[in-house]
Amino acid sequence: MRILFSSTPAHGHLLPLLPLARAFQERGDQVAVLTAGVFAPVLAPEGIELLPAGPAADVLFAESGRRTGVDAAANPTPEAVAEFFAGTRIDLTADEALAAARQWAPDLVVAEAMDFVGPLVAAALGVPLATHAFGPAVPPEFTDGIAEVAAARYAARGLTPVPARWYVDPCPDLLQAPGWAPAATRLPLRPEPHRGPGAAGPARAAGPRGGDRARVLVTFGTHFSDPAVLTPILAELRATGADLVITLGLTARAEDYDLDDDGITFAPFTPLADLLHDVDLVVTHGGAGTTLGALARGLPLVVVPQGADQFLQAAAVEAAGAGIAVPPGADVPQAVAKAVTALRSDGTHAAAARAVADQVAAMPSPGQVAATLAAALA
């Protein structure tokens, strides 16, 4: 079969699709990804074909900000989010995407949950659609507005949105919102931390390594690693005596941080799976991929949300008892250090993280989900 994945042009949206994409490849199916051309370096090592369509995220944010006067990343109001994902992105991407997809002729479109170009392609081509979530379900106050904007863009092209036949969901039940009930179309999918091509993950979560001196991974993703935000946090963490591994994302450099390098290791963009094997806990902005990847390994979290959907992950982690959320405020660095100390001294958070990891381990593997979808399409 020919399976077309479609993603918003952002690492946090694209990388969670790769386990299922690899699983289809391993079955012998043809796989391609429809997203901005800047992701060629990510997909080429995977041997996954890229169908480039539309501009990168910086262009989309600039245009949606011009239209609304709001930065959808830093201030994700429902209106700004709807304009970014379903207004601006469709306007600047749809024509290229439709042309590329028609030529490629997929049998199935798998669109990540905030991608509304893939569903437009599926509707235009009359092929089945699967939605691929990447974290807890987005609240209706956001999804309703996005769907309304998307429907207007579809109608302008003579198309009607087609409901997805499957909802591929990597979020374990323990992290779902209160009152959540699984949809009839839900296909659970075991999440895993992003790994490099050909690298195998552990069969089971390892959990914290233990020891007298804490080793803490500090990762604020690919785009939120602002040294001005992180430097005060890192200074407070070093004062606790912890050893730190700090990811630089795509924009920061080690020299941007005014810190003594004793006990500090800076890491360039590195697959998350390679960073989790020798740490006790994770301090993060709360991106869905980082959150699920760390908890899949049984590691408790301190979540410091910066924007986007990160407040959803922060609330989910705290509600599950698997970590501590630190809301915005003037005392964030001190609060983060206090939270790290609490995670080290109180084993209840580590136990809750292991419970999430056990639930993750019991979810169907990407290979099983690919087989289920393939059988339904046969």
Side-chain angles (χ1 to χ4, degrees):
M1 294 189 301
R2 298 173 68 81
I3 315 298
L4 179 61
F5 288 81
S6 183
S7 175
T8 303
H11 286 81
H13 294 252
L14 173 62
L15 297 184
L17 299 178
L18 294 183
L20 186 57
R22 291 175 181 138
F24 276 113
Q25 279 187 318
E26 290 166 2
R27 285 175 35 85
D29 297 311
Q30 298 296 310
V31 174
V33 172
L34 183 69
T35 193
V38 294
F39 285 94
V42 175
L43 297 172
E46 301 279 350
I48 295 176
E49 183 178 356
L50 171 66
L51 303 187
D58 57 343
V59 175
L60 297 175
F61 276 119
E63 175 59 17
S64 66
R66 186 190 67 78
R67 295 180 182 188
T68 65
V70 177
D71 181 348
N75 185 19
T77 65
E79 295 77 16
V81 168
E83 176 56 44
F84 176 82
F85 286 105
T88 298
R89 181 152 186 264
I90 290 177
D91 290 345
L92 301 187
T93 306
D95 291 342
E96 285 183 90
L98 284 169
R102 283 195 175 100
Q103 183 173 1
W104 201 77
D107 299 303
L108 170 68
V109 173
V110 180
E112 54 91 359
M114 297 302 288
D115 169 65
F116 292 85
V117 171
L120 184 148
V121 166
L125 273 58
V127 300
L129 172 68
T131 296
H132 191 309
F134 49 84
V138 178
E141 57 262 34
F142 288 92
T143 57
D144 290 350
I146 297 171
E148 182 178 349
V149 173
R153 296 310 200 273
Y154 288 22
R157 292 168 171 79
L159 300 171
T160 301
V162 177
R165 288 175 56 181
W166 303 276
Y167 183 78
V168 180
D169 189 1
C171 185
D173 294 1
L174 284 170
L175 293 183
Q176 300 287 2
W180 169 83
T185 57
R186 183 179 187 244
L187 284 179
L189 168 71
R190 183 189 309 154
E192 58 184 51
H194 175 57
R195 57 180 173 83
R204 295 283 293 176
R209 66 188 184 120
D212 295 332
R213 191 176 176 99
R215 186 170 172 84
V216 178
L217 173 64
V218 182
T219 175
F220 276 46
T222 50
H223 295 287
F224 288 89
S225 297
D226 182 354
V229 172
L230 282 176
T231 297
I233 294 174
L234 298 174
E236 290 290 334
L237 288 176
R238 282 296 295 135
T240 69
D243 291 329
L244 307 179
V245 179
I246 304 155
T247 62
L248 294 171
L250 296 178
T251 56
R253 303 169 302 164
E255 51 266 35
D256 294 333
Y257 296 87
D258 184 19
L259 295 167
D260 186 333
D261 62 1
D262 179 46
I264 294 178
T265 301
F266 288 101
F269 179 76
T270 304
L272 182 62
D274 295 342
L275 299 169
L276 294 175
H277 70 281
D278 192 31
V279 298
D280 298 293
L281 57 93
V282 179
V283 175
T284 177
H285 64 315
T290 302
T291 301
L292 291 182
L295 288 175
R297 296 285 181 89
L299 295 170
L301 302 166
V302 176
V303 185
V304 192
Q306 302 296 296
D309 62 332
Q310 297 151 25
F311 294 91
L312 297 178
Q313 275 75 246
V317 168
E318 187 149 279
I324 298 173
V326 177
D331 62 345
V332 164
Q334 295 78 12
V336 171
K338 182 179 179 180
V340 166
T341 300
L343 292 188
R344 290 286 290 166
S345 61
D346 181 356
T348 59
H349 294 96
R354 289 194 296 270
V356 176
D358 290 342
Q359 198 170 80
V360 166
M363 297 169 75
S365 70
Q368 291 171 313
V369 173
T372 296
L373 291 170
L377 293 168

